Amino acid sequence: MDTIDNSSDKGTENTEQETNVDREHERILNEIETTDTAFIGASLRAVYEGNDHQKFLNRLDSRIKQHDKDIEKMCNFHYQGFIESITELINVRGDAEKLKNQTIVINKELHDSGKEVVVKNDTLIQCRLQQKNVVSAIEKLTTCLPVLQMYGKILEQMEEERYYAALKTLEQLETSYLPQIYQYRFCDIMKNDIPNIRMTIREKSTKLLNDFLEDVRKKSSQIGMVAMKQVEKERDLDEKSQQADELYLKNQNESNTLTTISKLVEGNPFEEEEEETNSKNPFDEEPQDENNPFMEEKQTADMYQPESNQDLSASDIVDFSPVYKCLHIFGLIKSREWFEEYYRKQRHKQVQLILEKSVGTLGSVESYITMFHEIVGFFVVEDHILHTAQNLVTQKYITGLWDMVLLHLLNKLVPNQINFPDAPSMMQIKNIIVIFADTLKAYGFAVDRLFGLLMEMRDTYGEMMLKLWQERFEGVFNEDNYTPIHLETVDDVDETLLAFPFDEEEFEGEKADVYPKKLAFSLFVPKIYNEIKEFILACLKYCEDLHLSSTEVDDMIRKSTNLLLTRTLASGLKTLVQKPSLGLNQLVQITVNTTHLENACPHVEEYVRMITGVRTGSAHSAKLVGVSTFKDARNETESQIYDKLNGKIDEFFDLADYEWEMSEPQGLASRYLVDLINFLRTTFHVFTTLPSNVAQTACMSACRHISTCLTGMILDPGIKDVTLPALQQFNLDVVQCEHFANSEPVPGFNEGVLQMSFIEIRQLLDLILTWDWTSYFADYGTPKSKYLRVNPAMALSLFEKIKQDKAGPRAYFTSIGRGKKKINDQVYKRLRSLVSDWCLMCVPHSRRMVVGN
């Protein structure tokens, strides 16, 4: 059963397969019948891919036979009509022959009658041909005439130097007109002449460019001047000074001080004349002031143009149209790259010429002004070209030129390579460089290194300022009379005096309006004080516009001021006090002056704080060393006072004329010594203006020096013999000196201190005059010795002089029962022994000192 089912299933499957194959073959046959022959490949491929090829061929043969039958049926249906049509065609052939003969006859007749028409027609054709040629000639001439007109226009534009228009016309002629008449010979002539025209235009344009470059070179200085004036007009150079002055004035309470400060500002060596723009032009002339050492040198009249020119631009001064024309012209002749390279090369040469020319002429302020004007003018022109002439120059190219110029300036303006004329000129140059830098910065150039150069120049400027102020200090020293200031009336209180912040009781309370007055110091003090403040203002002026912080400005001012005090002023004061021409009174006055200047140092500190705004004592603020400077100067002056006083004493002792062999004393002190004591009293009276310790030191030094001179005089090896009356006379002089010491010539000494200056000579004289050798030898070397200050060498020296008397050794003493020859010999031997012991004791000590050193 299963087998039967399987057989039936297989039969069913075979039947379905055959049905599908038949359908596929039918579809393929239909496609072959209905599809174009070129597209039956797909159908045939489907047949070949199948497996029943024979069955398809059988079906195809059946279909062919079917179609053959259909064709045969159709032919049989239309055969009778075809026969009838052939019969009719044979019948028409006779009629066609008749028609042909008739047509030949008619044609002959037509030819005979049309011969005259043909002749007329030939004549008409000839006329029409001539007419056509005339029209063609007119057309050709009409075509050529614009070409000739364009060529004539080109020549005319060349004569008028309208080269760009000529090039445009030439381009139009070459591209639009000449191709229309290429067949004519004159067209070849024009074509051959076109390169010559272009070359002529190029040469003329190059000359036009060179003329422009020459004009720009000549006017660069004017362009730079105008640009710098315009930038300067926008700047406010006085802003910092005005703020400092306002702050200073705000903190002052007394009207006199206010007046002083305002006058001092007016005398500021760097103060500019106030203009409508409230800015300082370093090139403008300033009012002459004989007291202003920083007066600007008068500028030449042709250095600047009238004020109206300040609003000009580069295009108002220079005609840039030639460069624009050349730019378009060389673009049209396909030489744009050559033009750009040529322009840049020429401009590079021009800037090198400016730099090379300026190097050899730098020295005066005018030479710096000219150089900076030309450089600014150069880059202003290049900046204008950059923004108006497309791609003629690039920002990179201009930056490269500026880097070259900047490097050159940094190398040539190094302070150690340029000898600046003086500090005022250097200040002018600094202001010029600042304006120069600000101008170029406004055009987008990097100028930070220029400000770095100005910082390098600051040290050189400081040195020049110190030299200048050294001259000014010397002028003050030379002009001063070194006497206290006497004010008879209020009119004698001038601005210089008011500027000094002294504290005097006579200017306060009820005594303020009472005259005459006397000030302890001389005019030296307020002048030096004002010079220091002017120096500070000068330093501040240099710091302006350098983009420094207030701390940096304060640091620079303090360092410069410290150099001024420790080097310039200290050196000047030291040189001053060492002048041989100065007397004691002048030295005393200098000491008083330095004391007042020392007291004014806090006011200088406050002044610096006011103008810089940096609090004194901050971490970054250096302290002024004026106090130590004036202390050192005062110490030097005091030393000179002591030396000068001792020198005066030496002069009096040079007048001493003792008669060492006199027989009777005069009974009075020597004249030279009386004069000396009177001189000392007068001098010490002057010393009342000095600090008490200075006057006391001077008095003590003078007394000691007198004691030394007296001791040296009596022990002089050149004196061989001294009589007792002479020694008594000498004793009177010593007593006179002791009276002077007891009279307290300078107050403040403790009792007996000044007399100790003469204790050595006093003990020596007492020993000899009393002949108290027993006590001397008995107490020698003990603290309670009556003659403790008398060393054996001094005693022996004077003893020998007394011993060598013409009447016999020690005859004067033996006459009064105080000495016999034997006793004197014992004293002599004992002194010699003590001298030997004293030398043995001192010499090793001296040797030990030498070895220790």
Side-chain angles (χ1 to χ4, degrees):
M1 195 68 181
D2 291 336
T3 302
I4 296 172
D5 291 336
N6 290 335
S7 299
S8 62
D9 291 338
K10 288 180 180 181
T12 304
E13 290 178 0
N14 291 333
T15 304
E16 291 179 356
Q17 289 180 356
E18 290 177 359
T19 304
N20 292 334
V21 170
D22 292 339
R23 290 176 181 174
E24 181 66 19
H25 288 172
E26 184 65 24
R27 183 187 64 80
I28 292 173
L29 291 175
N30 291 333
E31 287 182 359
I32 291 173
E33 290 176 348
T34 58
T35 304
D36 191 5
T37 306
F39 300 101
I40 64 174
S43 302
L44 296 177
R45 182 177 179 180
V47 173
Y48 285 112
E49 289 178 353
N51 295 325
D52 299 326
H53 297 165
Q54 186 60 42
K55 188 173 183 179
F56 177 77
L57 291 175
N58 294 333
R59 290 183 67 86
L60 182 61
D61 290 338
S62 300
R63 182 62 61 89
I64 292 171
K65 291 178 180 180
Q66 180 65 35
H67 285 297
D68 289 340
K69 291 179 181 181
D70 293 339
I71 293 170
E72 184 177 356
K73 288 180 180 181
M74 186 176 294
C75 290
N76 292 330
F77 179 77
H78 293 286
Y79 180 74
Q80 185 61 38
F82 176 73
I83 295 301
E84 291 176 357
S85 297
I86 292 299
T87 303
E88 290 179 0
L89 183 61
I90 292 172
N91 295 330
V92 171
R93 184 174 60 181
D95 295 335
E97 188 69 24
K98 293 179 181 180
L99 181 60
K100 178 180 178 182
N101 294 329
Q102 291 177 359
T103 302
I104 292 172
V105 173
I106 293 171
N107 183 51
K108 184 178 178 182
E109 293 176 354
L110 182 61
H111 276 283
D112 292 339
S113 61
K115 287 181 179 180
E116 185 176 355
V117 176
V118 170
V119 173
K120 295 292 184 180
N121 185 54
D122 291 339
T123 303
L124 179 61
I125 291 173
Q126 187 65 31
C127 291
R128 292 294 178 86
L129 181 61
Q130 291 177 354
Q131 183 181 9
K132 181 180 179 181
N133 290 339
V134 171
V135 171
S136 177
I138 292 174
E139 291 178 353
K140 298 300 181 182
L141 289 175
T142 303
T143 304
C144 293
L145 186 59
V147 177
L148 297 175
Q149 290 176 345
M150 292 288 284
Y151 189 79
K153 184 178 180 181
I154 291 172
L155 299 179
E156 188 177 320
Q157 290 171 340
M158 290 287 290
E159 291 180 359
E160 296 175 355
E161 297 183 354
R162 296 167 55 198
Y163 302 120
Y164 179 74
L167 273 178
K168 294 294 288 184
T169 305
L170 186 64
E171 182 180 9
Q172 187 178 4
L173 174 66
E174 186 177 19
T175 57
S176 301
Y177 289 87
L178 287 181
Q180 299 177 8
I181 57 170
Y182 64 91
Q183 66 273 24
Y184 302 110
R185 292 180 58 188
F186 73 87
C187 178
D188 295 334
I189 297 174
M190 289 184 181
K191 286 183 178 180
N192 295 333
D193 198 32
I194 286 176
N196 296 331
I197 295 176
R198 282 201 172 96
M199 183 58 65
T200 301
I201 292 176
R202 175 169 179 161
E203 293 174 355
K204 296 289 186 180
S205 300
T206 304
K207 183 178 181 301
L208 186 64
L209 176 63
N210 291 333
D211 293 341
F212 166 78
L213 293 175
E214 180 66 19
D215 185 50
V216 166
R217 186 187 66 81
K218 291 179 179 179
K219 295 181 179 179
S220 290
S221 180
Q222 182 184 359
I223 295 172
M225 180 270 294
V226 170
M228 290 176 68
K229 293 275 276 187
Q230 290 174 346
V231 171
E232 182 188 13
K233 188 176 180 180
E234 298 173 358
R235 297 170 61 246
D236 188 6
L237 293 179
D238 290 337
E239 181 178 355
K240 295 183 180 179
S241 294
Q242 290 177 355
Q243 291 177 354
D245 293 340
E246 290 174 1
L247 184 60
Y248 188 80
L249 294 174
K250 182 179 179 181
N251 287 273
Q252 303 304 311
N253 297 322
E254 298 181 4
S255 59
N256 288 340
T257 307
L258 287 172
T259 305
T260 302
I261 296 301
S262 62
K263 295 298 183 181
L264 180 59
V265 173
E266 291 177 2
N268 178 6
F270 291 98
E271 186 68 23
E272 303 79 15
E273 181 183 4
E274 186 173 359
E275 301 175 356
E276 292 181 1
T277 59
N278 196 27
S279 63
K280 174 183 178 296
N281 186 347
F283 315 128
D284 284 344
E285 299 177 3
E286 294 185 354
Q288 298 211 357
D289 183 359
E290 59 183 5
N291 295 323
N292 185 0
F294 286 84
M295 233 289 299
E296 307 287 352
E297 296 182 4
K298 187 175 182 180
Q299 307 295 332
T300 53
D302 58 348
M303 187 171 294
Y304 293 104
Q305 300 296 327
E307 291 295 328
S308 60
N309 287 347
Q310 294 186 17
D311 297 329
L312 296 177
S313 63
S315 58
D316 297 324
I317 300 173
V318 176
D319 181 15
F320 286 88
S321 59
V323 74
Y324 303 144
K325 292 179 181 179
C326 292
L327 182 64
H328 292 294
I329 288 171
F330 281 92
L332 287 177
I333 61 176
K334 311 301 181 183
S335 299
R336 173 68 179 261
E337 294 181 357
W338 178 90
F339 172 73
E340 292 177 359
E341 181 181 357
Y342 180 80
Y343 174 83
R344 297 178 184 181
K345 184 177 180 181
Q346 294 302 315
R347 290 294 281 167
H348 189 275
K349 289 181 178 179
Q350 286 187 353
V351 74
Q352 285 184 326
L353 181 63
I354 293 173
L355 299 177
E356 292 173 0
K357 180 183 68 173
S358 62
V359 169
T361 58
L362 288 181
S364 63
V365 177
E366 291 78 6
S367 62
Y368 285 93
I369 293 174
T370 301
M371 179 186 70
F372 289 128
H373 281 177
E374 290 181 348
I375 293 175
V376 170
F378 176 88
F379 284 103
V380 169
V381 170
E382 290 304 293
D383 184 77
H384 186 82
I385 293 293
L386 174 67
H387 292 90
T388 57
Q390 184 179 6
N391 296 330
L392 179 56
V393 294
T394 62
Q395 188 64 51
K396 181 179 179 180
Y397 161 77
I398 297 178
T399 303
L401 285 180
W402 168 241
D403 291 340
M404 179 192 72
V405 172
L406 180 60
L407 181 62
H408 179 88
L409 292 177
L410 294 175
N411 291 335
K412 296 303 179 182
L413 295 180
V414 176
N416 58 10
Q417 294 188 8
I418 295 182
N419 294 324
F420 295 99
D422 48 39
S425 299
M426 189 171 179
M427 185 64 183
Q428 288 181 263
I429 294 171
K430 172 260 176 182
N431 288 334
I432 295 167
I433 294 176
V434 169
I435 299 173
F436 170 76
D438 288 344
T439 303
L440 290 176
K441 185 177 180 180
Y443 283 90
F445 295 98
V447 296
D448 292 340
R449 296 178 68 184
L450 280 178
F451 288 101
L453 172 66
L454 291 176
M455 295 301 294
E456 294 178 7
M457 292 171 57
R458 180 183 62 180
D459 296 335
T460 303
Y461 173 76
E463 292 297 327
M464 299 178 72
M465 289 284 292
L466 292 177
K467 291 181 181 179
L468 176 62
W469 253 257
Q470 181 179 3
E471 298 175 359
R472 298 176 69 168
F473 286 150
E474 290 176 356
V476 172
F477 297 152
N478 295 331
E479 293 173 1
D480 196 35
N481 56 9
Y482 298 99
T483 58
I485 299 175
H486 292 273
L487 304 175
E488 298 296 334
T489 64
V490 68
D491 296 334
D492 294 335
V493 183
D494 58 6
E495 299 167 358
T496 302
L497 187 59
L498 283 176
F500 183 71
F502 55 88
D503 297 326
E504 294 287 346
E505 295 181 357
E506 295 186 356
F507 286 88
E508 298 177 356
E510 297 179 356
K511 296 182 179 180
D513 299 328
V514 178
Y515 286 89
K517 298 179 186 293
K518 181 180 179 181
L519 304 180
F521 52 83
S522 67
L523 200 58
F524 166 120
V525 173
K527 285 186 176 180
I528 292 296
Y529 179 78
N530 286 340
E531 291 294 345
I532 294 174
K533 293 180 71 174
E534 289 185 6
F535 181 86
I536 293 172
L537 286 175
C539 293
L540 174 65
K541 206 64 183 176
Y542 188 89
C543 294
E544 288 184 351
D545 306 305
L546 295 186
H547 309 296
L548 301 176
S549 65
S550 57
T551 302
E552 291 173 325
V553 173
D554 179 80
D555 183 64
M556 174 192 169
I557 291 177
R558 290 180 180 274
K559 287 182 179 179
S560 300
T561 306
N562 282 336
L563 286 176
L564 177 74
L565 296 173
T566 57
R567 262 176 46 183
T568 306
L569 184 54
S571 175
L573 288 172
K574 185 176 181 180
T575 303
L576 173 65
V577 300
Q578 291 178 351
K579 285 184 177 180
S581 60
L582 289 181
L584 281 172
N585 293 341
Q586 286 84 359
L587 290 173
V588 170
Q589 187 61 58
I590 291 174
T591 302
V592 175
N593 289 348
T594 53
T595 301
H596 282 82
L597 286 174
E598 179 183 344
N599 295 335
C601 287
H603 297 278
V604 177
E605 284 270 8
E606 180 65 15
Y607 183 74
V608 173
R609 187 190 70 81
M610 288 295 181
I611 64 177
T612 61
V614 178
R615 182 174 54 84
T616 305
S618 61
H620 303 284
S621 177
K623 185 176 179 60
L624 294 180
V625 294
V627 173
S628 62
T629 298
F630 294 120
K631 281 185 178 179
D632 294 340
R634 188 168 62 255
N635 293 336
E636 180 68 23
T637 307
E638 293 170 1
S639 177
Q640 290 295 323
I641 289 176
Y642 306 148
D643 294 342
K644 188 75 70 173
L645 185 58
N646 292 339
K648 281 290 185 181
I649 294 173
D650 291 337
E651 292 178 7
F652 280 98
F653 273 94
D654 290 340
L655 300 176
D657 187 15
Y658 285 99
E659 188 179 350
W660 298 108
E661 297 182 2
M662 67 172 53
S663 57
E664 292 293 336
Q666 297 177 0
L668 296 173
S670 300
R671 182 63 187 174
Y672 86 92
L673 193 63
V674 174
D675 293 340
L676 171 59
I677 290 175
N678 292 333
F679 166 76
L680 290 176
R681 291 185 187 278
T682 304
T683 302
F684 291 147
H685 178 72
V686 176
F687 283 7
T688 55
T689 58
L690 290 174
S692 59
N693 63 323
V694 177
Q696 291 171 5
T697 303
C699 185
M700 179 64 74
S701 174
C703 292
R704 289 178 178 176
H705 190 68
I706 293 173
S707 176
T708 302
C709 291
L710 289 171
T711 304
M713 184 179 294
I714 194 64
L715 299 179
D716 185 5
I719 301 174
K720 303 300 182 181
D721 300 314
V722 178
T723 63
L724 185 58
L727 192 61
Q728 291 172 345
Q729 179 62 43
F730 187 79
N731 184 56
L732 290 175
D733 291 343
V734 175
V735 171
Q736 188 71 23
C737 292
E738 290 175 335
H739 288 167
F740 170 73
N742 290 329
S743 66
E744 197 177 6
V746 174
F749 282 108
N750 294 328
E751 185 177 358
V753 173
L754 199 57
Q755 291 87 335
M756 293 297 293
S757 302
F758 301 97
I759 189 64
E760 186 179 85
I761 188 63
R762 168 48 55 203
Q763 291 181 3
L764 178 62
L765 291 176
D766 287 346
L767 175 63
I768 299 298
L769 289 174
T770 60
W771 209 252
D772 192 10
W773 298 108
T774 304
S775 300
Y776 179 75
F777 293 135
D779 297 334
Y780 180 76
T782 62
K784 65 178 182 177
S785 175
K786 183 180 178 180
Y787 307 103
L788 182 63
R789 299 297 182 93
V790 180
N791 65 62
M794 293 172 56
L796 179 61
S797 177
L798 188 55
F799 179 82
E800 288 177 341
K801 297 179 188 296
I802 299 299
K803 181 181 68 171
Q804 297 172 359
D805 186 72
K806 294 181 179 179
R810 292 167 296 283
Y812 291 103
F813 300 101
T814 59
S815 65
I816 62 175
R818 298 292 266 170
K820 294 180 179 180
K821 187 175 186 307
K822 182 178 179 180
I823 297 175
N824 292 337
D825 290 340
Q826 292 177 353
V827 171
Y828 179 77
K829 290 179 181 178
R830 186 68 181 274
L831 287 174
R832 293 288 298 178
S833 176
L834 291 176
V835 169
S836 299
D837 294 341
W838 184 76
C839 291
L840 290 175
M841 181 178 62
C842 295
V843 170
H845 175 71
S846 300
R847 289 178 179 174
R848 286 196 299 272
M849 292 291 291
V850 172
V851 172
N853 291 334

